Amino acid sequence: GDWEMSGNAGEETEDALYPIAVLLDELKNEDISLRLNATRRLKTIAAALGTDRTRCELIPFLTETIDDEDEVLMALAEELGSFVEEVGGPEHASVLLQPLEVLAAVEETIVRDRAVQSLKFVSESVASGASDQGREMHVTQMTPLVKRLSTGDWFTSRISACALFAVAFKNLPADREDLKREIITLFQTAARDETPMVRRAAAGALGPLSQAVAQSDISMVETEIVPVFRELVEDEQDSVRLLTVENAAPVCASVGEKARSESLLPIVRKFVNDKSWRVRYMVADKLVALSEAVGPVSTRDDLLPAFIRLLKDGEAEVRTAAAFRVADTTRLVVATKSEPNKLGGIDLVVREILPAVRELVTDPSQHVRAAFASNVMGLAPEVGVDITVRDVVELVLVLLKDEFPDVRLNVISR
């Protein structure tokens, strides 16, 4: 576009237009601080140009002159995410996809992540605010964009694609089953990518994508996503398994009862034996969320034994994560029912949890003791007065005599 501002419509307008011309110049300046400043003021430029010229001139200009400094790119990715009104509202927001796609494929992680966040925001604002015609963007532009990123030569673009699968799927019109399946296929391919970082991103997409797919078809989660979950749990890279565990709760919540007990719970049970302590740490951290997703029977039969294992884990970090979850887990176990041959509720807490936490107060690691100390007061309301007097008080007294001030402090400050 031609940036010369036209005519001398009196001194006043010249003055008003002058800073815009300067800012536009500064977008190309060699000095990074000037480019950064101009990028942060893109809304000012857009307001002066009006929505039509912003769409037809400013956005193409920004797309052509993508900077090479991460700081400027970061600012651009941020600005473009909140630029929907500047280009004329949700109806016209699709013009923002092109520059954001370029940014979503750059090398620097923080820029990519920011561009992806902005792409999600644009997608959501079109889905909620545009007409049917405007929403066609997801068919004609968003899905092809995700496809291009998914099949890019650089693994960086494939990572960005993973973070967009859920929103792209969710915002497609209901009658475009074909494109929804295409997105699932791209996800399955990403989960088998040879680059661990891409598989990690696919593992990170498990939760959001399961939730999006479950809204339109639960059986699709069971047939298309659960098998991927099963593969990623066995991945050789612990960082991939870690994110798979982190996303286990939303996956469990997105399938039917039968699939949950037959396909997912056996996998979840194996988590606690993972050879990497980081993965077991994540299991301990996510156990409460998992328990809420699988319901009381599985909590009683599957997750409580897992929790007890984690409280006795060989690694102090894992025991610490589990110790922080004692009160919450107790609350969930108290809510379970007893059946013939299956103890539940408060009796199960007394039989399983109390003996395990008794060992925590003399744990060799002060971090484990401090974590339990911050949780011990939460036990009382869950187990009631009698058990508190009989079992919990003595634990509190031991912790109050601990040689480490953090442990003593955590008991009283909760």
Side-chain angles (χ1 to χ4, degrees):
D2 181 12
W3 293 109
E4 291 312 308
M5 297 297 175
S6 53
N8 346 314
E11 288 304 306
E12 261 175 52
T13 17
E14 288 253 317
D15 249 8
L17 290 176
Y18 168 72
I20 302 306
V22 171
L23 284 171
L24 288 167
D25 256 352
E26 287 180 357
L27 282 173
K28 293 181 284 200
N29 198 295
E30 282 180 9
D31 181 348
I32 177 171
S33 62
L34 290 176
R35 296 204 305 277
L36 193 58
N37 170 51
T39 305
R40 293 213 169 110
R41 294 179 60 189
L42 278 175
K43 287 196 175 62
T44 311
I45 302 177
L49 291 173
T51 55
D52 285 354
R53 291 190 66 189
T54 296
R55 274 204 305 283
C56 307
E57 298 171 29
L58 179 59
I59 299 295
F61 169 76
L62 291 170
T63 310
E64 282 152 28
T65 55
I66 289 279
D67 211 287
D68 48 7
E69 287 288 343
D70 292 334
E71 223 184 326
V72 180
L73 295 177
M74 183 71 184
L76 182 59
E78 214 161 303
E79 288 296 318
L80 290 175
S82 55
F83 226 62
V84 173
E85 291 314 312
E86 279 66 20
V87 295
E91 211 55 31
H92 302 284
S94 59
V95 298
L96 298 168
L97 297 185
Q98 203 188 345
L100 284 170
E101 179 179 353
V102 179
L103 293 169
V106 298
E107 203 176 326
E108 176 54 53
T109 310
I110 54 165
V111 176
R112 283 201 317 271
D113 290 350
R114 190 60 232 211
V116 163
Q117 234 177 311
S118 293
L119 280 165
K120 286 182 187 169
F121 184 80
V122 172
S123 168
E124 294 290 14
S125 52
V126 170
S128 59
S131 66
D132 288 351
Q133 196 186 347
R135 284 206 298 274
E136 274 297 295
M137 171 192 98
H138 288 101
V139 173
T140 55
Q141 286 171 285
M142 191 69 177
T143 304
L145 176 154
V146 172
K147 198 172 176 177
R148 284 191 298 274
L149 288 173
S150 285
T151 50
D153 293 336
W154 293 100
F155 73 88
T156 49
S157 79
R158 303 201 296 275
I159 289 175
S160 291
C162 289
L164 292 167
F165 291 143
V167 76
F169 184 99
K170 179 165 81 91
N171 290 330
L172 275 166
D175 59 356
R176 293 310 301 259
E177 190 71 25
D178 55 331
L179 295 181
K180 292 192 169 198
R181 290 214 166 264
E182 206 169 297
I183 286 177
I184 298 284
T185 307
L186 293 172
F187 164 70
Q188 292 167 335
T189 307
R192 300 185 182 114
D193 198 282
E194 78 244 21
T195 310
M197 268 100 96
V198 179
R199 298 200 303 277
R200 199 160 71 200
L206 274 166
L209 187 58
S210 297
Q211 288 166 322
V213 176
Q215 283 175 1
S216 62
D217 183 2
I218 282 192
S219 66
M220 200 177 191
V221 182
E222 299 173 350
T223 56
E224 307 298 321
I225 295 182
V226 170
V228 177
F229 178 79
R230 192 176 292 129
E231 277 175 40
L232 291 171
V233 162
E234 303 287 344
D235 198 276
E236 59 191 25
Q237 297 279 333
D238 61 358
S239 62
V240 175
R241 299 198 305 278
L242 189 85
L243 277 162
T244 309
V245 168
E246 192 173 347
N247 282 274
V251 176
C252 284
S254 304
V255 299
E257 192 64 56
K258 190 168 184 292
R260 190 177 304 138
S261 56
E262 288 174 14
S263 313
L264 288 173
L265 279 163
I267 303 175
V268 171
R269 267 183 235 131
K270 284 203 308 213
F271 284 163
V272 285
N273 302 322
D274 197 282
K275 54 185 182 291
S276 157
W277 72 263
R278 285 192 175 80
V279 175
R280 300 196 306 275
Y281 174 93
M282 184 57 79
V283 179
D285 196 52
K286 294 288 168 206
L287 208 66
V288 172
L290 261 169
S291 170
E292 284 164 348
V294 299
V297 177
S298 301
T299 295
R300 181 192 69 193
D301 300 346
D302 300 298
L303 296 189
L304 177 63
F307 180 66
I308 301 297
R309 284 287 299 272
L310 295 164
L311 284 175
K312 300 179 173 171
D313 195 274
E315 289 290 333
E317 279 87 352
V318 178
R319 297 198 302 278
T320 301
F324 272 124
R325 300 278 175 262
V326 167
D328 281 336
T329 308
T330 302
R331 171 174 55 82
L332 292 163
V333 174
V334 168
T336 63
K337 304 258 183 296
S338 283
E339 288 169 34
N341 319 330
K342 291 270 188 185
L343 205 55
I346 196 84
D347 297 333
L348 187 57
V349 172
V350 172
R351 194 185 75 190
E352 298 291 334
I353 296 183
L354 290 179
V357 298
R358 204 165 283 133
E359 290 169 34
L360 296 180
V361 297
T362 53
D363 194 280
S365 159
Q366 70 194 74
H367 300 295
V368 176
R369 301 198 304 275
F372 179 54
S374 72
N375 233 248
V376 70
M377 291 306 202
L379 276 175
E382 303 305 341
V383 297
V385 178
D386 297 348
I387 294 169
T388 299
V389 172
R390 193 185 75 204
D391 298 294
V392 181
V393 172
E394 59 171 323
L395 303 180
V396 173
L397 295 175
V398 176
L399 290 167
L400 285 174
K401 296 192 191 92
D402 200 279
E403 56 180 327
F404 283 93
D406 281 9
V407 177
R408 302 195 299 270
L409 193 64
N410 282 358
V411 177
I412 352 178
S413 61
R414 290 296 187 269

